[in-house]
Amino acid sequence: AGLSTCQRLVTVQKGPLYRVRGSHITLWCKVSGYQGPAEQNFQWSIYLPSAPEREVQIVSTVDPSFPYAIYTQRVRSRGIYVERVQGDAVLLHITELQDRDAGEYECHTPNTDERYFGSYSAKTNLSVIPDTLSASMVPQVLTHTEGDTVELTCEVSKSTTQHTHLSVGWFHLRGAGDHHAEEVLTLSKDFVLRPGPSYEQRFLAGAVQLNKIGNTTYKLSIRGAELSDRGKLYCEAAEWIEDPDETWKDISCKQTGKTSLTVTSQGRDLSVDITAAETSLSEGDTLQLNCTVGSQKSSSKHFQVLWLLNGVEVARVDPHGVLIWEEEYEERAKLGQLQAFKQSNAVYVFTVYEVGLKDNGTYHCSVSEVKTPGDFHSIQTNLSSGIQVNVKLIGYRMRLSVSTSTPQVMVGDALILLCDVQGATSPVSVQWWHLPPQHPGPRVLVATMEQDGTLSLGSTYQDSGTQRTLRLEKASSGAFTLVIPNTLDESDGGQYWCKATEWSRGQSWIEEGETAVTVSSMGLGLHATLRSRIATVRYGQIFELICQVSASYTLEEVPVSVMWLFQSGPPTSRYHELVRIFPSGTVSWGAAQPHFQGKAQLTKAATSFSLRIHNAAAADEGTYQCEVEVWRRNSLPLGQPAATVKSNAVGIKVVLPESKLQVAMKESSVEIAGGADAAIECRIMFAQNNSQFAVTWYLLPPPPADATPLQIVRASYSSILEYGAEFSSPAEKSRFLSQRVSNDVFWLRILSANPRDQGRYYCVVEEWLWLVDSWYKLGEGTSGRTTLEFKLPGRELQLEKTNHSISAREGEEVTLHCLLQGTHPPTTHLSATWFRGKKNGRISTLLTLRRDGTIEYPQESLAGRLHLRRPSAGDFSLTLHSVEKDDAGVYHCQVQKWQQQSEGKDWALQALAYSGYTQLATILPESTVMSRICSSPPLLNFILYLPLVLILLLALAVVFWYFLEKARR
């Protein structure tokens, strides 16, 4: 048995795969049995259902230009990318699956092997299905006592067509800042209950359970709630599908809202609340206060309740419900003006009939829990919040109204609030209170003006920076104004209260009113739109960009600055600042693009800003943006602006003028004798005024027709000469000269021309024009061919002209024939040159036999394999030893006849001729061919039956000829 080479094998994740829309998916692909580097490259493509035969390229690990346009943006933004797991394995990531991503995916690995052997790609199918998974739970705020049972339900459903499983689990977040969810209990996709580590013992004891009720309802039960259960609980559902490789994959996951759970310790859950039907009363009205006691299992507990006025006890109700009045209130109670009783174990009532000014103040109720009715030691005590009661004199006429002249302002504008107090007969003090928008906390004291006019600020407004921005004024006896000259931010909006207190004979009366104001950000409604009348301009033209700014407020009344930005490179490159116009009108030019400063014009009209660029040039091509900054009204534009906005991007393309160059296309020929000078003409028929020209001369050597042109010399528009590789020697430079004869005529002068200069000559003219800042190439034109031929004194040589096609196996030798017919006198000498042409049209010289018999090898690497046979004077056949793959090509020879005019004179060329062409094809060695034939049964069968087929065809031909001859007779 012989040795075998490893076979490349590409494998991809087995399909068909089903994944839901909007999910992040991966597909794996790996290669084995390869040769070459350990890190292989991968290319992903898709065949869409709408065109299953058409390959659409997605992403490559080696070629950034590989994606088709439909995927370019997603690949650039890493919406689609390839993760290399190891050198020969990758994952294709699609971060947000779309419906159009469904299709047949192909993973291809470019070849790194010495020869193709094995598979280089693999395919799999991906279907995109709707996400039908739903999980919901009504968010709640639950309060339980230790030992209670907590029950939560979660609704989970799906309507996926494919066969899928569900997993449903409950998770616990302990604290407000805890981002690590702890698993409570999960019903897995395999219908197995799996508790979290902290709940495992309670699960085994049966205290934590998860039950399915009906088709879609899952209930979590926690018996014997513990303090550690406090926090937030939520439900999480996942949908699983079994892939063809028999692994389960979660294709969708949903979380519900969170339920807040509070677990309180037994015996420390007493809450007390006090309420009043009315707190603003007139003399003679009735005041009724209710004290509500909250506690777990309150019906079985014992409470003592105290009623307090301004912190002093008025009455108490003991656990039996017995009422005890303080001494100073006993008389009024006997007269029926005061009443207190226990309505239930959770509700206690205090009533004052015919209230007077002495009943003004703050009321509280204090509740104590005792173990037994006669126990004087309380388990716990709680005091209610205070409730303010105001009793007015009969006939009291103070009225209050609050208004604002600035209900809606921008940040930085002034707020003006008016409190109008009427009907007061005594001095009044005023307090202003504030509650910011969407603020859950209590209102904040802003400022106070006492009866004597003394001013004080609330604690929040007492820092020196804020103090300077507030004014509290009294315009008249009843008009009080609060002015905030410069609002800081949106939090200065919200509700404002004015609380007026009238004092008389040691008593006070209070009236309140409120108003709302809105303070909007400077960024509200701020937009910038950039436009240009033209997107494509010619060199030297003017183009204008207009930045239109709009806002929900009057822009002319606020400081505004505009910055113009420019991006000269691709969309991923950064923007550079061109110029900035400050609110004061000061202009600051950026350093990155200094060429704009001398050609840009800046203007402003109302809310429109324009940038006009004169003499457009290549450096002006790119993408432009404007950035607008606004500061607060009536403030200096210092520090950070109040708002900033950027416009859309506008691209400007600068194009060259259209070239009108025309070059003479007429074909011509020039015949000269050996050693004479030759001139090839290149004529410009039409071009732009003021254009300059660069002329490049080319030579097409004699046949074959598809030979590659050789560059002779290029004369730039500034007359700098650049010679091609084949004409760069000093000798060639001195013979080939490019000259400008007139404005529109150029010559190629060839001095002392020789037969090797024969061929077809032409010129390529480039039109250049100075535009704004540099020279630019507008276009180019190619002339017709001029054939240079030699007139030789001798008769034309007779060379074998027949074309041949031969093949040779690698490693063998082959002979290429070049036979000169006829005889030649001994006074003549012969020289010969062999050439080889390749598929790219390039012709190279293999060897030259000089007339003195010496041989020159231009390619030294071939010298050992080339042998020039000379069995006779006219035989110049070439033998090529050890044929290689790169020897394939088209071969021909050239023979020249030389004669010395007389003794001591120079040798002169008398005649020359070219042979026919020999096409040489190289084939693999026989052992390699046979191994491939043997590995291909159809080809082997064809070879075995080929002789039988040929014999049958020959027999048919003989029979046909026999009948044809018989018909002629």
Side-chain angles (χ1 to χ4, degrees), residues 955-969:
L956 290 173
V958 171
V959 171
F960 177 75
W961 178 82
Y962 171 76
F963 283 105
L964 183 61
E965 288 296 320
K966 187 175 182 181
R968 286 180 179 175
R969 294 195 186 116

Side-chain angles (χ1 to χ4, degrees), residues 297-562:
K297 303 176 182 178
S298 62
S299 60
S300 60
K301 295 181 179 180
H302 306 283
F303 300 109
Q304 176 174 275
V305 176
L306 275 65
W307 289 98
L308 307 171
L309 172 59
N310 296 326
V312 178
E313 182 178 339
V314 176
R316 72 175 59 198
V317 179
D318 70 11
H320 292 292
V322 177
L323 174 62
I324 305 172
W325 292 98
E326 282 297 304
E327 182 178 353
E328 61 180 289
Y329 293 96
E330 287 181 348
E331 184 65 25
R332 294 180 65 187
K334 291 178 181 179
L335 296 174
Q337 296 177 0
L338 301 178
Q339 183 184 32
F341 62 95
K342 176 181 178 181
Q343 181 173 309
S344 69
N345 208 36
V347 179
Y348 296 80
V349 180
F350 176 78
T351 306
V352 180
Y353 300 98
E354 298 181 356
V355 296
L357 295 179
K358 58 182 173 296
D359 298 316
N360 274 324
T362 303
Y363 289 81
H364 295 82
C365 67
S366 174
V367 179
S368 300
E369 180 186 354
V370 295
K371 290 185 178 180
T372 61
D375 192 352
F376 294 101
H377 300 286
S378 64
I379 299 174
Q380 55 180 332
T381 300
N382 201 352
L383 180 68
S384 73
S385 58
I387 188 167
Q388 179 71 37
V389 175
N390 298 308
V391 180
K392 304 174 185 177
L393 292 171
I394 296 177
Y396 176 68
R397 298 181 178 277
M398 184 172 72
R399 298 182 304 278
L400 181 148
S401 64
V402 182
S403 61
T404 177
S405 59
T406 55
Q408 292 184 336
V409 297
M410 304 302 300
V411 171
D413 290 349
L415 277 183
I416 302 174
L417 303 166
L418 176 64
C419 182
D420 188 16
V421 180
Q422 297 180 354
T425 58
S426 302
V428 174
S429 65
V430 172
Q431 288 183 330
W432 285 95
W433 296 79
H434 176 220
L435 182 64
Q438 300 178 351
H439 196 284
R443 59 188 186 178
V444 177
L445 179 64
V446 179
T448 300
M449 177 180 283
E450 301 292 352
Q451 296 165 271
D452 58 0
T454 304
L455 300 178
S456 61
L457 297 176
S459 59
T460 306
Y461 292 83
Q462 284 179 357
D463 64 282
S464 59
T466 307
Q467 186 175 0
R468 292 194 298 268
T469 67
L470 294 181
R471 294 202 310 269
L472 184 55
E473 302 170 346
K474 183 177 181 181
S476 62
S477 61
F480 300 86
T481 303
L482 174 66
V483 179
I484 303 177
N486 292 287
T487 50
L488 298 179
D489 50 40
E490 293 93 328
S491 65
D492 282 336
Q495 298 293 120
Y496 282 86
W497 283 268
C498 174
K499 180 178 179 180
T501 305
E502 182 181 5
W503 302 84
S504 177
R505 294 176 296 178
Q507 299 293 322
S508 63
W509 296 267
I510 298 174
E511 284 287 342
E512 282 191 13
E514 65 179 288
T515 188
V517 295
T518 302
V519 179
S520 301
S521 167
M522 297 291 288
L524 181 66
L526 182 63
H527 297 285
T529 303
L530 184 63
R531 56 187 174 84
S532 174
R533 292 186 176 90
I534 52 175
T536 301
V537 298
R538 296 192 180 278
Y539 276 71
Q541 285 188 334
I542 298 174
F543 66 92
E544 184 177 27
L545 296 160
I546 300 173
C547 181
Q548 185 67 48
V549 186
S550 62
S552 58
Y553 48 91
T554 305
L555 277 170
E556 290 87 339
E557 297 179 0
V558 299
V560 178
S561 76
V562 175

